[in-house]
Amino acid sequence: QADIKVIIEEAAAGDFADGTDEQKVGDFYKSYMGMETRNKLGVTPLAAQFAEIDALENYRQLAIYFADANKIGVGVPFSLNQYADFKDPKTYMMYAYQGGLGLPDREYYFEEGEKAEGIRQAYVAHVQKMFELAGLPDGAAAAQAIMALETRLAAEHMKKEQTRDMVALYNKIPLAELPELMPDFAWNDYLEAAVISDIDGLVVMQMDYMRALDGIIQDTGMDVWKTYLKWTVLNANASLLSAAIDDQNFNFYSKTLSGIEQQLPPWKRAVAAVDGNVGEVVGK
């Protein structure tokens, strides 16, 4: 890691032409390490995504947004991923998988006991604090609405021990038959936005969850969806924003949930971010 740091810092310190590998690596590292600029910007870098969410008017547009958000790693109620076909490893398959939770898994929403209840309360307080730090309105009400929606999603999630039965999870459905699974979901728009409308089918790994999700989407008002989606955008990018937001994110997800007392030094986190996103360029 220290050796990689030297390579990255040399790129960051040099004057390299736009488009060169060194410029890409160096600018990435400097932007991550530039906390003064990050503090000044706050959540401004998310403004376009927030505006896109605010512009959503109906459930058809919501389906399109789910596809678009999935592409950039923002959490939505189900993810769509490409992986080797479990039944034919010479080719690939698209898999739809349950998601949408801010806590690690469904048990966090329902486990009984003082510790579990304390984590749920801390999560609600965390969401409220993050809304306040981001300058988003009505943080307390937003946190309650988000927790209620996530709890409803979690109730329909397949239990984690069941998700280990890979044979049971392999439910390949032709695209034309997806509306039978979720009649009210705008599948055609979703598939087009996901740029997979020409494949022969996809594997739906949790059938019961997806059936239930169809009703949850329709039962939940667009204002609640917008609040929830702004949270998923903020949550996905928290470690890249201001120091206050970054620290709050660490305090809940690392300290409260995992007992980690101290963040890694900024340079280690920056090196990991660069290596994780443009690692091939660094390697070259």
Side-chain angles (χ1 to χ4, degrees), residues 30-96:
K30 284 187 288 187
S31 67
Y32 193 104
M33 291 292 286
M35 190 55 75
E36 186 177 334
T37 300
R38 285 169 57 176
N39 287 338
K40 206 175 292 183
L41 289 172
V43 295
T44 305
L46 305 182
Q49 291 185 60
F50 288 160
E52 184 180 358
I53 292 167
D54 282 329
L56 298 174
E57 295 180 353
N58 52 54
Y59 296 107
R60 174 184 162 275
Q61 293 176 355
L62 184 68
I64 294 170
Y65 180 83
F66 284 174
D68 290 340
N70 183 77
K71 294 177 193 173
I72 58 172
V74 172
V76 285
F78 72 94
S79 62
L80 186 71
N81 297 294
Q82 177 184 326
Y83 194 69
D85 191 327
F86 296 160
K87 293 193 174 183
D88 181 10
K90 295 178 182 178
T91 187
Y92 288 95
M93 179 57 62
M94 299 300 297
Y95 297 88

Side-chain angles (χ1 to χ4, degrees), residues 199-212:
I199 65 174
D200 65 341
L202 59 86
V203 170
V204 176
M205 303 191 82
Q206 291 89 18
M207 298 282 282
D208 289 343
Y209 171 76
M210 295 293 276
R211 289 190 187 99

